[in-house]
């Protein structure tokens, strides 16, 4: 929906005040044959869908993200997670494009997931919710996109887990998109990435309140989830970034909890995360990530042989969670298939989180890439 | 400087680059081309406008951004470790325009290019140009010229070769020469090229 900026947010480059909506569908059959019914998808849109319905861009969020990608919810001080890039005149220009951002299924921010109330028990599914794969999340997004009457997306874009979804889109629905933007991502998790997620999941499983996932709202496995988030945060930053930001400085607040500033930062991140995220969802989503695989080398080349869109793949030198070699593997597999692809490795010091941060280079690369989709003075090869 | 819809599409005046115009003329629409060390993408842009299916590799950050501005498909990376995935004979042409002297192992790169390309176009500054010879002889210093405007301490060029050196390499490796052309800043050079050309261009292919 087109939105108008309130008096609070007069920035002409902001999409202004937005709200999350819920779309409801009968059901969705998952990869493993199980059925989610009804299917609910939380989403937001920015900009205006053109008459031909050919200007829609789907942005896919990362692990702990949600449908709120840009602008402000009423009363919020901080904008959505990709506000630097979505808005009038920005990389995903809402004057030109219609942006859709939806919350993944299996998550806990409004789409069907472990917190959904089961009609059979009148209680939340919790850990009895079916296993959801990345392909399932994408299948649900396709249902949402189709409900707008959109046959072909102008682009699908995302970073980290969002990048894996964008990649999966290109494989699952090659005819339904023109451009694919994959940032700080991979075609499959390495043992190291699985290892970090495993430690996070084990922290939740070790919490005395875990109760096999059938916990109540007032007795959640908060400590375990906070530890999982602390672990995650270590991997999102780079050594350089941590050194600059924290060094060996003392903590803010109570010295009994931690001796160092980096410790108090992680504790704060962990504690604030438990207020906005569900432990079961954390397990569902990280498992979906770990199980996703388009393969490497020849397998990946084969998996990508049917894709039809152009690609922009962005990696970050300082990203040690999703190192550039994983992006380059996707690029090489596309190149072998003669798929048009731009690969850029940005030397941003912020580590894995770089794709979320403001960067002029990143802004212009995305803008230029989208600009040349129907290049009049050249031939798209492929 | 020509202006495109996204700003500057052309960063150099190609009328002063007879080698670039020569290559542009040689390659036909629809052919598949890989430009190794494509710089700001001037040649790729000309080829793309002609309908050539061209992609490039470049390691310089700013060059990559300028290529993206021209709507070109570029791979940000190093040629020295970025070619192995390409299938045999998957390109009509591989272009090494003033790139080969900057790679670590030029011999290996050329052999790899002959594997993935049906033909390989190699352009390099000719180190036996008379001005360079005179400069070394009389000044006793490593020459700094328009085409090689660097000092010994800041040059990206790791190797210096003459067109005669390249001929000897091709002969030793039994690489076939399809054509050879020589240039100065303005035009093609036909007489005594090893002495008068600032740039040497070879089109080569594998086998005898």
């Amino acid at each position: 929906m087109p939105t108008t900026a309130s008096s609070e947010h007069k920035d002409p480059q902001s999409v202004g005040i937005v709200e999350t909506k819920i779309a409801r569908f009968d059901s969705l059959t998952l990869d493993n044959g199980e059925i989610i019914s009804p299917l609910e998808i939380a989403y937001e849109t920015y900009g205006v869908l053109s008459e031909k319905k050919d200007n829609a861009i789907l942005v896919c969020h990362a692990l702990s993200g949600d449908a709120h990608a840009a602008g402000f919810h009423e009363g919020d001080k901080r904008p959505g997670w990709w506000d630097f890039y979505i808005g009038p005149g920005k990389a995903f220009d809402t004057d030109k494009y219609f942006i859709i951002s939806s919350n993944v299924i299996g998550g806990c921010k409004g789409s069907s997931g472990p917190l959904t109330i089961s009609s059979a028990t009148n209680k939340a599914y919790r850990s009895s919710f079916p296993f959801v794969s990345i392909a399932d999340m994408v299948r649900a997004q396709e249902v949402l996109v189709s409900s707008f009457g959109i046959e072909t997306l102008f682009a699908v874009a995302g970073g980290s887990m969002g990048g894996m979804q964008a990649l999966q889109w290109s494989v699952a629905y090659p005819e339904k998109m023109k451009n694919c933007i994959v940032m700080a991502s991979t075609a499959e998790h390495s043992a190291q990435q699985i290892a970090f997620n495993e430690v996070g999941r084990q922290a939740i499983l070790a919490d005395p309140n875990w109760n096999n996932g059938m916990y109540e709202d007032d007795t959640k496995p908060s400590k375990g989830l906070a530890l999982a988030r602390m672990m995650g945060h270590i991997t999102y930053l780079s050594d350089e970034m941590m050194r600059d930001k924290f060094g060996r400085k003392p903590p803010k607040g109570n010295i009994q909890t931690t001796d160092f500033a980096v410790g108090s930062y992680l504790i704060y991140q962990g504690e604030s995360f438990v207020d906005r995220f569900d432990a079961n969802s954390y397990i569902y989503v990280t498992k979906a990530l770990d199980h996703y695989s388009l393969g490497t080398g020849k397998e990946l080349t084969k998996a990508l042989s049917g894709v039809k869109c152009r690609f922009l793949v962005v990696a970050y030198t300082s990203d040690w969670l999703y190192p550039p070699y994983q992006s380059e593997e996707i690029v090489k597999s596309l190149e072998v298939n003669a798929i048009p692809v731009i690969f850029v490795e940005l030397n941003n010091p912020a580590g894995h989180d770089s794709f979320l941060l403001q960067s002029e280079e990143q802004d212009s690369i995305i803008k230029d890439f989208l600009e040349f989709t129907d290049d009049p003075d050249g031939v798209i090869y492929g | 400087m020509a202006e495109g819809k996204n700003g500057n599409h052309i960063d150099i005046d190609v009328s002063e680059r007879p080698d670039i115009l020569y290559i542009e003329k040689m390659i036909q629409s629809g052919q598949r081309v890989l430009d190794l060390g494509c710089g700001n993408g001037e040649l790729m842009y000309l080829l793309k406008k002609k309908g050539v299916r061209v992609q490039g590799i470049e390691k310089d950050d700013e060059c990559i951004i300028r290529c993206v501005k021209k709507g070109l498909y570029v791979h940000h990376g190093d040629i020295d470790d970025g070619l192995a995935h390409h299938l045999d004979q998957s390109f009509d042409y591989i272009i090494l325009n003033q790139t080969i002297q900057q790679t670590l192992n030029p011999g290996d790169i050329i052999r790899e290019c002959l594997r993935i390309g049906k033909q390989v176009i190699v352009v390099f500054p000719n180190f036996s140009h008379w001005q360079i010879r005179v400069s070394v002889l009389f000044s006793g210093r490593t020459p700094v010229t328009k085409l090689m405007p660097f000092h010994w301490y800041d040059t990206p060029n790791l190797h210096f070769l003459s067109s005669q050196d390249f001929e000897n390499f091709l002969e030793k490796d039994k690489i076939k020469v399809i054509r050879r052309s020589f240039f100065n800043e303005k035009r093609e050079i036909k007489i005594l090229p090893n002495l008068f050309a600032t740039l040497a261009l070879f089109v080569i292919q594998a086998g005898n």
Side-chain angles (χ1 to χ4, degrees):
Chain A
M1 286 296 290
T3 47
T4 45
S6 79
S7 55
E8 260 182 276
H9 306 292
K10 279 187 176 161
D11 177 2
Q13 284 217 291
S14 171
V15 298
I17 298 291
V18 294
E19 58 176 320
T20 304
K21 297 191 171 70
I22 307 278
R24 288 183 181 79
F25 305 93
D26 287 347
S27 64
L28 183 80
T29 304
L30 304 175
D31 268 351
N32 60 12
E34 295 200 59
I35 293 167
I36 297 179
S37 179
L39 170 69
E40 294 190 327
I41 305 173
Y43 71 96
E44 291 186 8
T45 66
Y46 324 105
V48 182
L49 184 59
S50 64
E51 260 179 50
K52 287 186 185 165
K53 303 192 175 186
D54 59 356
N55 69 335
I57 296 178
L58 177 74
V59 298
C60 306
H61 69 73
L63 193 152
S64 62
D66 54 31
H68 182 37
F72 296 82
H73 285 168
E74 202 73 63
D76 274 359
K77 291 214 167 64
R78 290 181 57 187
W81 58 272
W82 234 9
D83 195 69
F84 287 131
Y85 298 100
I86 301 171
K90 295 181 185 176
F92 299 104
D93 188 347
T94 48
D95 288 338
K96 284 164 83 172
Y97 307 117
F98 176 66
I99 316 290
I100 307 168
S101 173
S102 68
N103 179 225
V104 296
I105 56 168
C108 55
K109 304 288 184 67
S111 294
S112 297
L115 290 184
T116 301
I117 304 296
S118 157
S119 55
T121 61
N122 229 5
K123 284 183 166 177
Y125 280 98
R126 306 280 180 197
S127 55
S128 70
F129 195 76
F131 173 83
V132 166
S133 68
I134 296 286
D136 292 328
M137 295 172 180
V138 164
R139 196 174 293 131
Q141 288 164 350
E142 196 275 332
V143 170
L144 176 72
V145 167
S146 294
S147 74
F148 287 101
I150 296 163
E151 284 175 17
T152 307
L153 284 164
F154 184 73
V156 182
S160 195
M161 183 176 90
M164 287 160 95
Q165 291 166 52
L167 193 62
Q168 174 62 23
W169 257 93
S170 74
V171 174
Y173 306 106
E175 312 286 347
K176 292 190 174 181
M177 59 193 283
K178 290 172 96 170
N179 298 292
C180 186
I181 301 179
V182 178
M183 304 164 86
S185 196
T186 181
E188 70 168 26
H189 267 188
S190 65
Q192 179 177 285
Q193 287 155 338
I194 294 171
F196 288 130
N197 279 344
E198 191 60 47
V199 173
R201 288 191 292 265
Q202 290 297 330
I204 295 169
L205 265 50
D207 191 290
N209 288 344
W210 168 239
N211 192 28
N212 286 322
M214 301 309 279
Y215 47 82
E216 294 300 324
D217 280 340
D218 50 356
T219 52
K220 294 189 291 189
S222 297
K223 192 71 197 168
L225 180 58
L227 277 174
R229 183 61 170 174
M230 287 170 74
M231 180 77 205
H233 259 280
I234 298 170
T235 66
Y236 304 152
L237 304 180
S238 67
D239 178 34
E240 185 186 346
M241 187 86 175
M242 277 210 189
R243 218 173 332 130
D244 287 352
K245 206 166 169 180
F246 308 110
R248 296 177 54 83
K249 282 181 263 185
K252 284 180 185 160
N254 194 342
I255 195 89
Q256 287 176 334
T257 328
T258 174
D259 294 340
F260 297 99
V262 66
S264 66
Y265 166 81
L266 291 176
I267 290 166
Y268 169 77
Q269 292 295 342
E271 284 175 353
S272 56
F273 189 60
V274 299
D275 296 332
R276 63 180 182 91
F277 214 82
D278 173 58
N280 274 312
S281 274
Y282 194 89
I283 289 180
Y284 276 76
V285 175
T286 58
K287 280 194 179 183
L289 281 168
D290 290 348
H291 283 268
Y292 185 68
S293 172
L294 287 178
T296 56
K298 284 184 178 168
E299 288 168 299
L300 180 57
T301 300
K302 201 177 161 205
L304 294 173
S305 62
V307 305
K308 298 245 160 68
C309 56
R310 310 157 73 233
F311 278 79
L312 169 65
V313 179
V314 184
Y316 305 89
T317 311
S318 61
D319 183 355
W320 61 280
L321 179 60
Y322 287 71
Y325 82 86
Q326 290 186 315
S327 291
E328 215 172 345
E329 187 137 40
I330 297 169
V331 172
K332 287 178 175 177
S333 293
L334 291 167
E335 286 179 346
V336 172
N337 282 308
I339 309 294
V341 53
I342 291 173
F343 172 60
V344 185
E345 184 182 319
L346 292 174
N347 197 10
N348 182 326
H352 181 61
D353 271 351
S354 297
F355 76 95
L356 294 166
L357 305 176
Q358 190 164 22
S359 144
E360 260 178 53
E361 276 181 334
Q362 191 155 289
D363 197 79
S364 83
I365 288 165
I366 295 170
K367 210 179 268 180
D368 293 335
F369 170 71
L370 293 174
E371 177 93 351
F372 281 98
T373 305
D374 295 309
D375 193 351
D377 50 32
V379 169
I380 299 296
Y381 78 89
Chain B
M1 289 267 189
E3 281 285 317
K5 62 178 172 178
N6 279 33
N8 294 337
H9 277 193
I10 305 294
D11 301 298
I12 55 165
D13 184 358
V14 286
S15 68
E16 284 186 25
R17 289 293 301 272
D19 57 315
I20 285 186
L21 297 171
Y22 184 93
I23 296 171
E24 191 248 351
K25 217 168 159 187
M26 186 163 74
I27 299 174
Q28 302 307 313
S29 163
Q31 288 185 310
R32 205 170 161 222
V33 173
L34 180 62
D35 189 350
L36 301 179
C38 58
N40 288 327
E42 291 91 359
L43 172 58
M44 284 176 57
Y45 183 68
L46 291 178
L47 291 172
K48 176 178 159 250
K49 279 216 297 197
K50 203 175 159 180
V52 175
R53 300 153 72 202
V54 60
Q55 66 187 87
I57 304 182
E58 174 57 50
K59 65 178 172 185
D60 183 87
D61 303 23
E62 281 178 27
C63 286
I64 284 288
I65 307 268
R66 298 198 77 85
C67 286
V68 176
K69 282 225 174 296
K70 295 184 181 78
L72 299 167
Y73 295 108
V74 279
H75 183 129
H76 193 181
D78 208 325
I79 300 158
D80 282 307
D81 49 35
L83 300 177
H85 63 291
H86 287 296
L87 304 178
D88 294 358
Q89 305 290 293
S90 50
F91 293 93
D92 294 299
Y93 289 103
I94 310 291
I95 299 171
L96 287 154
N97 193 346
Q98 298 197 56
T99 302
I100 197 68
Q101 78 277 7
Q102 299 184 7
T103 60
L104 278 178
N105 296 298
D108 289 348
I109 296 284
I110 289 170
R111 281 183 282 270
E112 186 71 342
C113 288
L114 291 165
R115 176 186 72 78
I116 62 178
K118 289 171 192 154
Q119 295 193 350
V120 180
I121 302 168
V122 188
V123 185
F124 55 87
N126 177 27
F127 200 65
S128 61
H129 184 262
W130 69 270
Q131 283 177 325
I132 293 180
R133 297 189 197 196
V134 168
S135 162
V136 174
L137 187 64
F138 288 104
S139 78
R141 284 188 267 170
T142 308
V144 178
T145 67
K146 200 175 171 193
L147 257 178
M148 291 191 283
F150 308 101
H151 302 93
W152 64 271
Y153 50 81
D154 62 10
T155 179
N157 298 324
L158 303 175
H159 310 275
F160 299 96
L161 70 162
S162 70
S163 74
Q164 190 54 53
D165 287 328
F166 197 68
E167 294 273 4
N168 293 354
F169 163 76
L170 299 177
E171 201 175 323
K172 183 188 85 48
D173 261 45
K174 299 190 169 58
I175 296 165
K176 189 175 170 185
V177 180
I178 305 297
R179 41 170 139 169
R180 45 170 82 67
S181 294
F182 303 92
F183 306 92
N184 65 15
E185 285 103 34
K186 295 265 170 354
R187 62 184 72 83
E188 220 178 317
I189 302 285
K190 304 271 187 188
I191 301 160
L192 292 175
N194 199 35
L195 198 57
F196 293 119
T198 51
L199 270 187
L201 180 152
F202 285 77
V203 183
I204 55 177
Q205 76 179 37
N208 292 304

